[in-house]
Amino acid sequence: HVQGLVYGSVCSGIEAAIPARLRSDPARDAAPRARLAESAPGPFRLGEARRSQLMTAERRAAYLRLDDFAPLFALPGVAFVNLQYGDVEGEIADAEKRLGFRLLRWPDLDLKDDLEGAAALTAALDLVIAPAVSSAELAAALGAPTWRLGGRDWTWAGTAVRPWTPSTRVFAPRVGEAGLSGLVARVARQLQALGPAVASSRQTPVPAFAPDPRRLVNAGSRALARDDRKAAGAAATAALALAPGMVEA
């Protein structure tokens, strides 16, 4: 499994990781892991969710359609797992037929009301990619590697990250991108470039995700706030090693 998307050895000792706020029930962990071992024994396992159950015209722009994930579904070596709750079987079956991919799901698992089952499945995945939906929040609370798609909001706390869920990496649409649907293509390129999508089996080490220098700068700022100059200096040095021209460091 990817051991978080942030920090790694570069950040060792700079900032203590915020512990996961939730833990999956050990008694429930075995079943999804066995199912994944049977259905996706080798590839990188990626969970996706795309929308809230409450859809209004105002909220629609913050969410995605299954077709919007097509750039991700095209990646080799990735097993895709549905984390979208609700009655989605017809939608998935139609998209699978049109787009030529497979989205793993199990009809006996209620992803909305069986939170312990959803947590156990989520904890067994290598990465979760989703907009601001409960499935992504659950993944983040479990400490699971999570890529959250969406515009800047209060949960960023004025930083470039979500400070209280360090396993979360945030992706916001850029000028010229067609909202979240355009953002997915960039996310797919990023994932492919980082390497795990080409891992052919779990015997092949999954490359670690590159630390984000902005996280290091934020960690250094917090270290200065508590007058820990040694940790702040280490954070700045690590950030500059990753991004030599970074003025903030």
Side-chain angles (χ1 to χ4, degrees):
H1 286 232
V2 179
Q3 299 300 314
L5 300 181
V6 297
Y7 308 135
S9 59
V10 174
C11 304
S12 179
I14 292 175
E15 179 179 359
I18 300 173
R21 288 167 170 74
L22 298 178
R23 294 186 184 277
S24 57
D25 182 353
R28 301 290 301 273
D29 286 344
R33 292 180 186 277
R35 283 175 159 176
L36 287 169
E38 178 181 357
S39 302
F44 185 80
R45 297 162 182 168
L46 192 160
E48 67 78 31
R50 46 203 176 273
R51 64 175 181 270
S52 168
Q53 190 172 31
L54 177 60
M55 292 294 288
T56 64
E58 182 180 358
R59 292 166 60 89
R60 194 172 301 278
Y63 302 119
L64 291 156
R65 299 172 301 118
L66 193 54
D67 284 35
D68 294 329
F69 282 86
L72 284 165
F73 294 146
L75 293 177
V78 179
F80 297 97
V81 178
N82 177 60
L83 295 178
Q84 179 65 49
Y85 57 80
D87 183 10
V88 295
E89 179 56 35
E91 171 192 2
I92 293 175
D94 176 66
E96 286 179 325
K97 183 177 180 180
R98 288 185 293 101
L99 301 177
F101 72 100
R102 183 186 180 201
L103 187 57
L104 299 175
R105 68 273 190 195
W106 294 273
D108 60 337
L109 175 58
D110 185 341
L111 291 167
K112 179 183 178 183
D113 293 325
D114 183 1
L115 292 182
E116 290 182 342
L121 175 60
T122 301
L125 301 175
D126 296 301
L127 176 64
V128 172
I129 296 181
V133 296
S134 59
S135 302
E137 298 299 338
L138 177 60
L142 288 165
T146 306
W147 286 10
R148 188 177 190 264
L149 313 183
R152 182 181 294 274
D153 60 24
W154 67 270
T155 68
W156 294 30
T159 70
V161 298
R162 300 184 81 210
W164 37 75
T165 55
S167 70
T168 300
R169 182 174 179 181
V170 290
F171 289 83
R174 294 173 178 168
V175 175
E177 287 181 331
L180 292 191
S181 58
L183 171 60
V184 173
R186 171 159 55 93
V187 169
R189 292 192 298 271
Q190 179 93 41
L191 183 60
Q192 187 173 38
L194 290 175
V198 299
S200 59
S201 79
R202 288 189 168 267
Q203 302 305 313
T204 303
V206 176
F209 287 85
D212 186 338
R214 293 170 300 177
R215 288 185 180 272
L216 295 170
V217 170
N218 289 330
S221 297
R222 288 191 288 272
L224 279 177
R226 61 176 184 267
D227 201 28
D228 188 344
R229 296 182 180 276
K230 182 177 180 180
T237 299
L240 287 170
L242 291 168
M246 195 170 195
V247 176
E248 297 91 333

